[in-house]
Amino acid sequence: MGMNYLHSVLCRSKLWECASATRIVPWALTGLDLGACALEIGPGYGANIASLRRRAATLTGVEIDPVLATRLRERSGSDVRVVDGDGAAMPLPDNEFNSVVCFTMLHHVPSPPRQDDLFAEAFRVLRPGGVFAGSDGLDSLSFRLMHVGDTCVPVPPRTMADRLARAGFTDIDIATRSKMFRFRARRP
Ligand SMILES: C[S@@+](CC[C@H](N)C(=O)[O-])C[C@H]1O[C@@H](n2cnc3c(N)ncnc32)[C@H](O)[C@@H]1O
């Protein structure tokens, strides 16, 4: 599950923070209302915290890497409540959030069934009417090379609609552009 060295240097860089906050999050969340209470699965170094806080009054993050969780807790203070845990088995109650989001993390979840568990967990912790949205990289040679020695199970976007529907979601929308796809879906 850990990130390789190059990847971890990239992920904690200002360059990445800027790319994620200006290119990924705005595109992934275009036209969506996160409501008052949002959850980010896999916040990592926290590149998206500031942009998410502009969109939701309270933000929680569930992070599987305890070192990153501690670092984020120390750095982000009251901007985000950081919970140690696995997005595929979250230590959080049912029906708690208006929105659940994740960016550039699904490919780190080590198998398609485990990714499906994460979708089911997102559904469970959402309130009825809540939105699940995010984005991830498309499979490619360069994407694979960046993850050598690292978990890399890219999600084929053409499978997403069925997989989200199986988890119970409706109003599913998937879009792709160069190097990435986004998804959004609603808990009925
Ligand atoms: C490539 S980083 C992306 C971080 C951040 N979302 C961003 O866009 O900059 C992937 C993050 O997801 C976390 N992660 C991987 N699997 C996870 C899981 N099952 N549950 C929660 N977090 C997970 C990793 O520890 C890492 O912090």
Side-chain angles (χ1 to χ4, degrees), residues 16 40 42-44 47-48 62-65 68 86-87 103-105 108:
W16 174 256
E40 182 182 17
N48 310 315
V62 170
E63 174 53 56
I64 202 169
D65 182 329
L68 293 182
D86 180 348
F103 307 94
T104 320
M105 68 74 61
H108 285 287

Side-chain angles (χ1 to χ4, degrees), residues 17 23-24 35 48 51-52 70 73 87 120 134 140 161 163:
E17 187 167 323
R23 283 179 45 77
I24 298 180
N48 310 315
S51 12
L52 293 174
T70 302
R73 215 173 271 123
S140 70
R163 295 170 70 182

Side-chain angles (χ1 to χ4, degrees), residues 65-87:
D65 182 329
V67 175
L68 293 182
T70 302
R71 186 177 183 276
L72 190 59
R73 215 173 271 123
E74 285 165 0
R75 296 206 163 188
S76 299
S78 60
D79 280 349
V80 55
R81 171 172 69 117
V82 184
V83 176
D84 285 272
D86 180 348

Side-chain angles (χ1 to χ4, degrees), residues 31-33 98 123 126-132 168-173 184-188:
L32 290 181
D33 182 353
N98 302 105
F123 186 92
L126 277 172
R127 294 181 195 158
V131 65
F132 177 40
F169 288 102
T170 56
D171 299 335
I172 298 164
D173 184 58
R184 67 254 320 256
R186 192 165 297 282
R187 175 174 174 164

